[in-house]
Amino acid sequence: MKIASLMQVLAGGGVAIAPTETVYGLCARADKPAAISRLYVLKGRGGDKPLALCVAGLPMARLYGTFSPLAGQLAEAFWPGPLTLVVPAVNPRALDKRLYNGATIALRCPDIDWAKSLTAPLALTSANRAGAPDSLTATAAKAALGAVDAILEDDEAINPRAKPSTIIAIQGGNRARILRAGALGAKNFAAFNIDWSADA
């Protein structure tokens, strides 16, 4: 399947499997509640667990999240790439409520061609059943999730030792907390003036 065809399926309310630079992802348009509901069913994920918002870059991200100087520096340094930033939401009612965790939103900008083609943001999660291992091939993702509306295959883009994106919550000023250690480690952030929370 070509990227243009993937975008058509998503625009029509479909749910799709697509690679990221880390593991395969399951995605749907963030403005399609019915598609997001299907995504949750396919994933076997509880509705109280929010999804990440996949964006094409920092300009799109700023439409949905408030970026402190530190958040902006991290986005400019590591996007596109395996970093998910949790920041205050610009308008917690702008998208489906399952994309928000209270007044915050998790933003992801994968380093992969199809994500750079986005004209609207996507709900994004890893392409595996909740609690199961990540999918490193399109075949594994399909076997784990069953029937979806589209599959974009690019197994060569996936590192067989890949880890999911690192998730960092920006807590104001230069304070931050690591919510999930992933593809980026502490050494990647050594150049930044970050006051890590005690449980980071």
Side-chain angles (χ1 to χ4, degrees), residues 116-174:
K116 299 170 187 176
S117 302
L118 292 176
T119 57
L122 305 179
L124 177 67
T125 186
S126 56
N128 55 284
R129 294 285 292 178
D134 295 318
S135 296
L136 301 182
T137 67
T139 299
K142 184 178 180 180
L145 297 171
V148 295
D149 301 306
I151 300 177
L152 184 65
E153 299 187 38
D154 188 4
D155 292 347
E156 293 182 0
I158 304 293
N159 182 331
R161 294 180 296 278
K163 296 180 180 180
S165 68
T166 296
I167 304 177
I168 295 180
I170 306 301
Q171 300 177 307
N174 68 337

Side-chain angles (χ1 to χ4, degrees), residues 177-191:
R177 182 160 59 100
I178 295 178
L179 301 181
R180 181 178 72 192
L184 297 173
K187 64 180 181 180
N188 297 107
F189 305 106

